[in-house]
Amino acid sequence: QVQLVESGGGLVQPGGSLRLSCAASGIILEDYAITWFRQAPGKEREGVSCSSSAGSTYYIDSAKGRFTISRDNAKNTAYLQMNSLKPEDTAIYYCATRRGRPNGNSCWVPTLYNYWGQGTQVTVSS
């Protein structure tokens, strides 16, 4: 049974940092692409950062220079390091995986992903 479990969310002040984790079971993350999506109230779900099984990484413009996606294959866990957080980053963050090697366009399409975590809340506020 495949399961993805996110953790690491919480309440932080603007300019603060959080590190989100996505622990996988039932699959070997090394063989999957990973994307962190987020959904804010009243807005559509959007991709934040994508990491292909081949090692390529992609970021939305607003995350470049602030967020870093990575994975630890020995722990079968993916991460999203978020620095210099802004109120506009407030959302529920989801980890999703899929087989294959998505490119800079297809990695952002939620319907292409097979497995999803339950989400973790990130709130950036003074």
Side-chain angles (χ1 to χ4, degrees):
Q1 192 74 22
V2 176
Q3 187 174 23
L4 303 177
V5 180
E6 299 101 332
S7 62
L11 173 64
V12 298
Q13 294 184 336
S17 298
L18 286 173
R19 188 195 192 200
L20 306 184
S21 298
C22 175
S25 60
I27 59 171
I28 301 174
L29 275 186
E30 185 177 7
D31 300 326
Y32 287 76
I34 304 165
T35 294
W36 287 92
F37 292 88
R38 68 185 180 190
Q39 188 164 23
K43 296 185 178 181
E44 294 184 351
R45 187 169 298 185
E46 66 174 353
V48 178
S49 182
C50 177
S51 174
S52 76
S53 59
S56 298
T57 59
Y58 307 92
Y59 300 88
I60 56 172
D61 287 342
S62 63
K64 292 178 180 177
R66 299 191 299 126
F67 294 3
T68 303
I69 190 170
S70 63
R71 64 177 81 196
D72 186 334
N73 292 329
K75 296 182 178 180
N76 213 33
T77 299
Y79 304 95
L80 183 67
Q81 178 67 46
M82 304 186 295
N83 299 325
S84 302
L85 284 163
K86 304 174 181 180
E88 65 193 68
D89 296 316
T90 296
I92 300 175
Y93 284 71
Y94 300 88
C95 177
T97 67
R98 58 166 289 187
R99 284 273 193 179
R101 299 180 177 182
N103 58 36
N105 292 319
S106 62
C107 69
W108 306 120
V109 182
T111 55
L112 297 179
Y113 287 78
N114 304 106
Y115 306 111
W116 293 78
Q118 84 288 350
T120 184
Q121 177 71 48
V122 172
T123 302
V124 185
S125 176
S126 298

